[in-house]
Structures are given as structure tokens and as C-alpha cells.
Amino acid sequence: MTTRLAAESVNEAWRHDALADDLASHLSRPERMVWTDMQMGPAGSPRPDVFAMQKSYTNPKPVAYEIKVSLQDLRKDITEGKALGYLKFSSALVFAVPRELSAAALKLLPPRAGLMVRSERAWSTRRKPAIGDRPEWCNRFALKMLIDGVNRERHTHRAKYVSRLNEDLKKRELLGCEIAEALREPDTIKWRAERAAAEHEDYKKRLKDNYEHCKRGILREAGEIAVAMGQEPPKDIWSVRFLAEKLRKLADETSADERVRAAEEAVQVVVRELDRARAVAARHCGEPAK
């Protein structure tokens, strides 16, 4: 019953064709050719869900990938010997399954087959396949790849390259327009630069004001803690560190006192907030952090 429910949930998350397309996109590389639903020869010959091959005359490493979204389908392929048919046209066989089927699939795999698993984030190799000898491909298979395979080959990497190229062209066009505007209207560019500088100065002032506000609040809260401990309130922000050290020692001496531990944690929070605010202010104001 558990296996059946798992298989049903997998089917809802990953349909067979969607998983095959996702795997093909994952395998696509400039140096590799990838096909989906490609019959490897004449009628009746094997048709792996995904087929990949390196662009190499001497070592193409053809690999057949079979997508399985249910244990029943996987068990049927293995028991009926269908998986062995792929090795006539490839050097290795890899089964690809969703993560929910990975543990059970690993137990059912043929000895030389590999396993890839699709998690929520990406594909991963659970078991590498054994790479056999390169099959002796016939002329009919080569013709099949040329005639029918050209429409089934994946070109994901080419689409990514075109997308990046278009982005670069847009950036160059935008930069060219800005340079032309600067040459045509220098006063406008100068005004923009002055406005940006004024906004930066205003931002620095707001950072300093926020830092002073945080510092006053920290001193107020640290003073209340010091008075409750019978200590002198800290006179400046750096004295808070000495108060924290005293609290730490007191907590070590009276570890059973929950109030002391709570006070120590409160001071540590205050110190961390102070360091963070000081670092932000120093970074934006160009002042070294003390």
C-alpha cells in the first residue's frame, strides 16, 4: 500500500514527458548532443526516453536514459529484459527516477545500469553506469540520426547563449545612449551627478542619526541592567562590553540563577546590535570601524 501511494504522489509531481524534458535540459552541453524520444533504428528497435552522445569521433560515449515514474514500470522493463535492448545502440544505460522512488529503484537495478535521481532542486547521480564497448553502428542508424534525429535534438545551451547575447546587446545599446546624451547635454549629466551626491550625503546623515538613536537606546537598556545588578551604569557605549564581561563571570559563578543568564543574553544581543549598526555606519560613511 505504501509503494502504491508513493507512486501515485510521484505521478502528480512529475509526469513522464516533463521529467524527460527536464533531464534532457540538464544533460545539454555545447560538447554533447541530446535527443528525446528517439528511436534507435528501424521499426521495432529500442526508443530510449533520452539519448546523449559526446561530439567525438574517437569516444562518443553514447548513453541511453530511461525515465520511470512508477516502480511497476521499472520492474516490468527489468524483468522482461527490455533494458538490454538499449545496449545494442549505446555504451551504457541509466534509469532516471524522481527522488521518492530512488531507494526502491536502487534495489531493482540491473548490475551494470546507472541511476539518476531528480530531487526538488536538481538531478544527481546515485549510481554510475558501467561503460561498455562502443556498439558497432550501422549505416541505417547513422541515417536515422540525420533524418529523424535532427528534429529531436535538444538545443538548450544554444538558447541560453542567444539569451545572453541579447542581454549584452541591450546593455551596449543602453550604454551608447547614455554616452550620447552626456555628449549632447553635459549640463544634464552634471545635474544628475550633483543630485546623486546630495542623495548620498543625505543617506549618510540618516545612517548616522540612526546609529546615534540605537546607541542611546543601548545605553539606556544597559544602564537599567547595571543598576539591577548593583553596578555603575556604563558612561559610554564601549563600557557595555565590560558590563557584558562581568555578567559572563557572574553567570559562571552562579550558574543556577536564571535571571543572571537572562541578563547576560540581553546584553549580548545589545552588543551584537551595536556592532552591526556601527559596521553599517562605518561602511557607508567611510569611517574605520572601531
Side-chain angles (χ1 to χ4, degrees), residues 2-13 15 69-70 101:
T2 303
T3 301
R4 186 179 306 163
L5 292 176
E8 291 175 356
S9 64
V10 168
N11 287 332
E12 289 297 326
R15 299 292 182 182
V69 294
S70 71
L101 300 182

Side-chain angles (χ1 to χ4, degrees), residues 4-205:
R4 186 179 306 163
L5 292 176
E8 291 175 356
S9 64
V10 168
N11 287 332
E12 289 297 326
W14 278 112
R15 299 292 182 182
H16 180 279
D17 292 347
L19 200 61
D21 288 339
D22 187 70
L23 177 60
S25 297
H26 170 76
L27 295 173
S28 294
R29 299 287 190 278
E31 70 277 4
R32 181 188 296 149
M33 296 179 290
V34 180
W35 294 267
T36 56
D37 193 30
M38 177 69 190
Q39 192 171 29
M40 309 309 295
S45 59
R47 182 188 290 269
D49 297 314
V50 181
F51 185 78
M53 185 171 61
Q54 297 294 115
K55 296 179 180 178
S56 172
Y57 288 104
T58 58
N59 192 20
K61 294 182 181 178
V63 180
Y65 297 84
E66 268 297 284
I67 303 294
K68 299 300 173 187
V69 294
S70 71
L71 290 178
Q72 180 181 3
D73 191 18
L74 175 63
R75 188 179 293 109
K76 181 180 179 182
D77 264 21
I78 294 175
T79 55
E80 293 182 358
K82 179 182 177 182
L84 299 177
Y86 297 118
L87 297 178
K88 296 179 180 179
F89 298 92
S90 61
S91 299
L93 171 64
V94 176
F95 287 94
V97 301
R99 182 182 59 182
E100 291 80 359
L101 300 182
S102 59
L106 195 59
K107 299 177 181 179
L108 295 174
L109 287 183
R112 299 178 60 84
L115 180 66
M116 291 188 67
V117 177
R118 181 57 159 91
S119 65
E120 295 179 357
R121 300 181 61 183
W123 285 96
S124 62
T125 300
R126 187 63 55 88
R127 192 175 88 179
K128 292 184 178 181
I131 306 297
D133 296 333
R134 184 175 63 181
E136 293 297 332
W137 296 339
C138 60
N139 292 334
R140 287 182 300 173
F141 174 69
L143 289 174
K144 180 73 174 180
M145 300 289 282
L146 290 173
I147 297 172
D148 187 40
V150 67
N151 295 323
R152 300 179 185 275
E153 185 183 355
R154 302 288 298 206
H155 299 285
T156 304
H157 61 276
R158 297 182 185 178
K160 292 181 180 179
Y161 173 78
V162 172
S163 178
R164 289 196 299 267
L165 180 61
N166 290 334
E167 291 179 2
D168 291 342
L169 291 175
K170 290 180 181 179
K171 291 178 181 178
R172 293 178 183 181
E173 181 180 357
L174 179 61
L175 184 61
C177 292
E178 291 182 353
I179 293 176
E181 183 180 0
L183 294 175
R184 184 175 62 253
E185 301 179 6
D187 293 338
T188 301
I189 301 301
K190 181 180 179 181
W191 174 78
R192 289 182 180 178
E194 292 174 351
R195 186 179 66 176
E199 291 176 351
H200 178 65
E201 291 297 325
D202 181 66
Y203 179 64
K204 287 171 56 177
K205 182 178 182 302

